[in-house]
């Protein structure tokens, strides 16, 4: 019995830890939204989550080379908008253009990379919530 209680406590701690990390992440993401100028292209912070994805050109987002500059490329944040009613379903929208990668200030480049990672972190939580909601439609009615 005690081990079941311990497992429950551990699970509860892990969940509350994720919620705190998520809350802190959103707070930092909101600051970066302004710092790197995304607010000039997207009026409301919450609207960035309407994009299907946000990508980066000109610097690596791979774990083993995170933030490494791609020489000869331009540092740019690209959002993918999706409109199921349009004839062309998705389109790329530039949220930030910063010039040649190798000429961008390191601090700014790091903030841009951090923004993308923090955005993806939050977007993954939103995806989990979405699919969790969809799964609830498959739960059997206990009265049946």
């Amino acid at each position: 019995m005690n081990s079941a209680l311990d497992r429950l406590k551990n699970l509860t701690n892990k969940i509350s830890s994720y919620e705190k990390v998520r809350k802190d992440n959103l707070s930092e993401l909101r600051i970066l939204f302004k710092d790197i100028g995304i607010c000039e292209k997207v009026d409301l912070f919450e609207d960035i989550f309407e994009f299907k994805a946000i990508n980066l050109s000109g610097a690596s987002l791979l774990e083993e080379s995170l933030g490494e500059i791609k020489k000869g490329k331009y540092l740019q944040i690209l959002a993918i908008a999706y409109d199921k009613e349009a004839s062309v379903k998705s389109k790329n929208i530039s949220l930030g253009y910063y010039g040649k990668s190798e000429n961008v200030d390191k601090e700014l480049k790091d903030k841009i990379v951090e923004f993308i990672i923090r955005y993806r972190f939050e977007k993954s939580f939103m995806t989990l919530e979405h699919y969790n909601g969809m799964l609830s439609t498959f739960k059997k009615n206990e009265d049946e």
Side-chain angles (χ1 to χ4, degrees), residues 1-112:
M1 180 71 172
N2 196 19
S3 67
L5 185 59
D6 289 340
R7 285 195 306 265
L8 182 59
K9 280 183 185 177
N10 287 338
L11 182 60
T12 303
N13 288 339
K14 189 178 263 190
I15 290 169
S16 64
S17 170
Y18 275 129
E19 282 305 312
K20 179 175 178 356
V21 170
R22 184 179 182 190
K23 182 180 174 193
D24 293 346
N25 181 66
L26 273 171
S27 179
E28 290 295 321
L29 188 59
R30 190 177 295 275
I31 292 166
L32 290 167
F33 173 79
K34 292 177 183 163
D35 283 356
I36 64 173
I38 303 296
C39 58
E40 295 172 19
K41 297 277 182 132
V42 180
D43 293 332
L44 296 173
F45 170 74
E46 293 75 15
D47 289 349
I48 63 173
F49 300 109
E50 297 299 317
F51 296 117
K52 197 76 170 160
I54 294 180
N55 294 317
L56 181 65
S57 68
S60 175
L61 292 174
L62 299 174
E63 187 173 1
E64 60 273 4
S65 58
L66 188 63
E68 243 176 57
I69 292 296
K70 296 177 182 176
K71 288 189 177 17
K73 302 282 185 183
Y74 295 91
L75 195 63
Q76 185 172 11
I77 299 173
L78 297 167
I80 300 170
Y82 185 78
D83 181 358
K84 62 183 175 185
E85 305 298 321
S87 58
V88 176
K89 302 291 183 215
S90 65
K91 71 178 188 178
N92 289 343
I93 300 168
S94 176
L95 295 184
Y97 175 79
Y98 305 94
K100 280 234 177 194
S101 296
E102 54 265 26
N103 296 337
V104 175
D105 176 72
K106 182 187 179 328
E107 186 179 334
L108 175 60
K109 187 257 315 165
D110 289 347
K111 284 182 176 185
I112 292 166

